[in-house]
Amino acid sequence: MMNVSYQLAYCNSFTFSSHSKALLSNDSVGKCPTRVKCTRLCYPKLWYWVTMTATHNQEPRNISISYTTAPVPHLSLFLTQLQSFPHPFLLENATSYRPLNMNFISEQDGVINRIVWNKNEPPRLVMYPRAGPRERVVFAPKKVKAAIVTCGGLCPGLNTVIRELTECLSYQYGVVDIFGVLQGYRGFYSKEWIHLTTEKVDNIHKMGGTVLGSSRGGFDLNKIVDSIVQNGINQVYVIGGDGTIRGAATLSEECRRRKLQVTVASIPKTIDNDIPIIDKSFGFDTAVQEASKAIDAAHTEVSCFPNGIGIVKLMGRNSGFIALYASLSSREVDCCLIPEVPFVIHGRGGLIEYVHKCLLERGKMVLVVAEGAGQEYVRNDSWVDQLDASGNKKLGDIGHFLYQEIESTLKKQGMEVSMKYIDPTYMIRAVASNASDNIYCTLLAHSAVHGSFAGYTGFTVGPINGRHAYIPMTEIVTAQKQVDLRDRMWSRLVNSTGQPDFSPKDIPKGFQGPCLYSREGEESLQTMKTVDKGFPGETP
Ligand SMILES: Nc1ncnc2c1ncn2[C@@H]1O[C@H](COP(=O)(O)OP(=O)(O)O)[C@@H](O)[C@H]1O
Ligand SMILES: O=P(O)(O)OC[C@H]1O[C@](O)(COP(=O)(O)O)[C@@H](O)[C@@H]1O
Ligand SMILES: [Mg+2]
């Protein structure tokens, strides 16, 4: 038996928008005892206390939980004359696909960020608008001109997202003008666009890469927005990772500043899985599956040679998720090194001592290393300023370095070893998406289209605790998801490999923490751990 009573505890000093008022309408709005200033978001952010009286062993007990609604920007915040139309499914002569039960999502429906908590430490919850079709939309489908662009590194599933955006726009909303922008952001102002039709995209999900091409760098805000205006685009779909979403957030802000009826939606992509708030990014599952093949090959090799040592280097710039999940799935890995954990190589308690022990006990060992691990050993001063066109720091080759260090050290100790080095690099991301990623990409793409038609902008789509939601881009770009060493998944890995803790007593000189992220003019970001999915940018 649980009684739930709502009471508004405090709100911030910003004016409420009509959009936020709508979300408030079912709650009793109380006095505002505290005022907090929201410095990061320019949209209202409202906090509520929810007091729940739970009966446990016949003892009533009060639990106080605070929650806020995520301020996903909406066109109505700056376009007062915004019109609305019935969803095309509802039209008498609808030719588009109709969902059987007409199950529209209401603006009161939300998805919360935390579903697991300790009764003694009630969490602060964030409620995100639930993704899906709305009964009323803010675009007349025949007047929609959509542009789709893919940016950053390749990722399995890019083509599936392009296909499903086109299919959903076309079949579910009747949009005809759908354009593919070529070669990333720069394609907005420097390339001819292609007209996308359902026929053209029919089979592209079977292929790796992106039929639109991609690039790093080339983000020129004014040129991009000018091109959007000149071409009459009113819905922009950006498929990319953290860098891309950073760009998309400024793009949506600029459209807002110019008071354009243009929505900007992003579909988060990266094999690194370093996007916060959402459960995981598309392509990650496929990349892990491919990475496991490299580990299997290493294991086969080392099993057939005396004192075989297999080193597998996997992608993962700042986050070790691919290395962690591929190692866990294979169960044949003796050691997994990730960017989040500093490690000592030589001496007592170091990596090589452990390698030596594995060889004495089992005659073989498999070591998986994420490319961003141990950068303090391989990045010298002359590297410090080396950035790629998007501003990402270039990495030193930790895999090759470990190969040499391990081989030469053991040789000096009189141990002959058979070294095998496998670096699958692009092979794990240039493939087509697997079945589960395909379905995932479909849901993401459809959610993005429904969100844009509903009038949301500056938003990212993705599942939070398994349910798809709309998330403000500003929240996505304030943090980077990394492996949480307090989380049970990391414990499982350590239990599975049996590796000791190689951490130095003091953090080694040059260790930049898991987050190497640093771009010109921006301060380095706070790490947001996976376990704590709430409150990017908020002080608890
Ligand atoms: N801070 C930023 N502001 C605007 N655009 C950015 C920013 N960071 C990256 N971009 C742009 O986003 C695109 C992709 O970024 P990149 O970091 O290469 O890949 P990803 O999106 O996969 O992280 C590039 O065109 C880059 O210029
Ligand atoms: O050689 P490239 O194209 O710069 O890509 C290398 C990087 O791309 C990734 O695969 C993914 O990075 P993004 O998602 O940021 O594009 C990283 O794991 C890797 O470090
Ligand atoms: Mg990135």
Side-chain angles (χ1 to χ4, degrees):
M1 214 8 219
M2 212 176 244
N3 298 319
V4 182
S5 62
Y6 293 87
Q7 191 194 336
L8 180 70
Y10 60 85
C11 62
N12 71 15
S13 53
F14 287 85
T15 328
F16 301 163
S17 68
S18 54
H19 179 58
S20 291
K21 269 184 191 153
L23 293 171
L24 273 175
S25 58
N26 286 345
D27 300 317
S28 57
V29 179
K31 223 176 141 205
C32 177
T34 324
R35 282 184 178 270
V36 287
K37 199 159 179 194
C38 174
T39 49
R40 187 173 47 80
L41 296 166
C42 46
Y43 298 101
K45 197 152 201 194
L46 312 163
W47 282 98
Y48 305 84
W49 296 132
V50 182
T51 309
M52 298 167 82
T53 313
T55 313
H56 179 62
N57 291 341
Q58 306 204 328
E59 288 278 318
R61 186 184 166 147
N62 282 344
I63 305 173
S64 180
I65 299 166
S66 57
Y67 80 95
T68 186
T69 48
V72 183
H74 191 272
L75 292 177
S76 62
L77 287 169
F78 57 94
L79 297 176
T80 45
Q81 305 296 318
L82 196 64
Q83 279 185 287
S84 79
F85 311 87
H87 193 288
F89 292 157
L90 296 170
L91 300 180
E92 287 280 300
N93 56 352
T95 51
S96 57
Y97 157 78
R98 279 165 186 261
L100 284 181
N101 54 3
M102 290 282 181
N103 207 350
F104 289 107
I105 300 295
S106 132
E107 290 306 336
Q108 309 301 320
D109 292 337
V111 177
I112 53 167
N113 63 331
R114 295 276 296 269
I115 53 170
V116 176
W117 70 76
N118 182 300
K119 276 191 285 185
N120 297 321
E121 295 164 22
R124 298 173 73 190
L125 304 175
V126 182
M127 192 162 104
Y128 296 88
R130 188 174 168 200
R134 273 33 180 187
E135 207 160 346
R136 294 198 71 80
V137 297
V138 303
F139 290 98
K142 292 284 171 268
K143 297 215 170 135
V144 168
K145 263 190 161 188
I148 303 172
V149 65
T150 50
C151 311
L154 293 187
C155 181
L158 284 167
N159 281 331
T160 313
V161 176
I162 297 167
R163 180 186 195 273
E164 292 305 323
L165 286 171
T166 310
E167 298 260 325
C168 185
L169 283 163
S170 179
Y171 288 134
Q172 297 193 34
Y173 287 88
V175 177
V176 177
D177 292 326
I178 309 167
F179 297 95
V181 176
L182 300 180
Q183 234 112 62
Y185 277 131
R186 67 185 76 230
F188 269 103
Y189 53 85
S190 66
K191 300 257 179 215
E192 285 287 306
W193 303 355
I194 55 168
H195 186 223
L196 294 173
T197 59
T198 50
E199 291 76 32
K200 266 191 201 148
V201 300
D202 198 23
N203 279 314
I204 62 173
H205 60 304
K206 306 280 179 199
M207 302 188 297
T210 156
V211 289
L212 300 180
S214 188
S215 66
R216 299 203 188 267
F219 184 84
D220 187 323
L221 181 60
N222 283 320
K223 281 191 189 170
I224 293 171
V225 180
D226 289 349
S227 156
I228 286 171
V229 173
Q230 277 155 24
N231 289 287
I233 295 298
N234 48 18
Q235 291 188 2
V236 179
Y237 296 94
V238 175
I239 312 168
D242 58 335
T244 307
I245 300 173
R246 227 167 277 282
T250 57
L251 196 62
S252 116
E253 268 310 302
E254 180 60 17
C255 291
R256 178 190 184 212
R257 201 188 61 77
R258 296 194 196 183
K259 293 207 181 330
L260 304 173
Q261 186 172 341
V262 176
T263 56
V264 183
S266 77
I267 298 97
K269 139 299 6 168
T270 175
I271 57 163
D272 288 0
N273 195 32
D274 56 6
I275 312 264
I277 305 175
I278 62 170
D279 296 344
K280 69 178 169 190
S281 48
F282 77 80
F284 172 68
D285 267 2
T286 308
V288 167
Q289 194 173 310
E290 294 302 306
S292 307
K293 293 180 188 166
I295 297 175
D296 288 347
H299 184 250
T300 305
E301 286 286 337
V302 300
S303 305
C304 298
F305 290 86
N307 282 341
I309 301 176
I311 299 181
V312 181
K313 188 177 86 166
L314 295 174
M315 282 190 173
R317 223 197 277 277
N318 303 316
S319 307
F321 288 105
I322 300 173
L324 165 60
Y325 277 74
S327 299
L328 254 182
S329 85
S330 121
R331 295 274 167 187
E332 282 157 350
V333 173
D334 301 291
C335 179
C336 172
L337 302 172
I338 59 173
E340 290 84 342
V341 189
F343 57 92
V344 168
I345 297 178
H346 295 283
R348 265 213 103 53
L351 173 67
I352 296 181
E353 186 188 69
Y354 174 65
V355 173
H356 189 248
K357 181 172 164 273
C358 289
L359 295 182
L360 292 179
E361 286 174 3
R362 297 190 281 282
K364 62 181 181 185
M365 83 96 59
V366 175
L367 166 66
V368 170
V369 59
E371 62 178 347
Q375 286 300 299
E376 63 278 15
Y377 295 115
V378 284
R379 280 176 65 93
N380 57 41
D381 288 345
S382 61
W383 279 74
V384 170
D385 294 324
Q386 285 203 35
L387 305 176
D388 71 14
S390 293
N392 300 302
K393 286 189 176 176
K394 288 194 176 169
L395 300 175
D397 188 349
I398 185 66
H400 195 242
F401 175 80
L402 289 178
Y403 180 106
Q404 288 174 327
E405 289 296 298
I406 292 172
E407 187 181 42
S408 65
T409 309
L410 291 180
K411 209 169 191 174
K412 272 187 222 146
Q413 293 174 6
M415 190 179 236
E416 282 302 322
V417 290
S418 313
M419 299 295 295
K420 312 283 171 182
Y421 184 46
I422 301 184
D423 182 355
T425 58
Y426 300 103
M427 290 174 75
I428 69 167
R429 70 174 208 192
V431 292
S433 47
N434 66 15
S436 79
D437 266 326
N438 259 337
I439 295 169
Y440 182 27
C441 290
T442 303
L443 298 190
L444 290 170
H446 292 197
S447 294
V449 173
H450 295 316
S452 292
F453 264 92
Y456 286 116
T457 186
F459 72 98
T460 296
V461 290
I464 302 173
N465 299 315
R467 306 310 288 260
H468 284 249
Y470 298 136
I471 306 159
M473 286 179 190
T474 42
E475 291 197 6
I476 293 282
V477 300
T478 49
Q480 190 163 43
K481 186 163 76 176
Q482 291 171 309
V483 174
D484 186 346
L485 307 180
R486 299 162 304 175
D487 188 49
R488 291 168 65 207
M489 201 52 104
W490 179 247
S491 309
R492 287 184 190 111
L493 182 273
V494 174
N495 282 330
S496 147
T497 59
Q499 69 194 75
D501 179 8
F502 306 115
S503 307
K505 284 210 176 58
D506 306 308
I507 300 296
K509 193 169 175 283
F511 181 73
Q512 300 184 26
C515 190
L516 292 172
Y517 184 87
S518 161
R519 288 190 170 92
E520 242 179 286
E522 289 183 24
E523 288 175 17
S524 65
L525 297 171
Q526 287 286 319
T527 300
M528 193 182 81
K529 300 297 182 186
T530 45
V531 80
D532 187 3
K533 285 184 162 188
F535 309 103
E538 290 289 336
T539 316

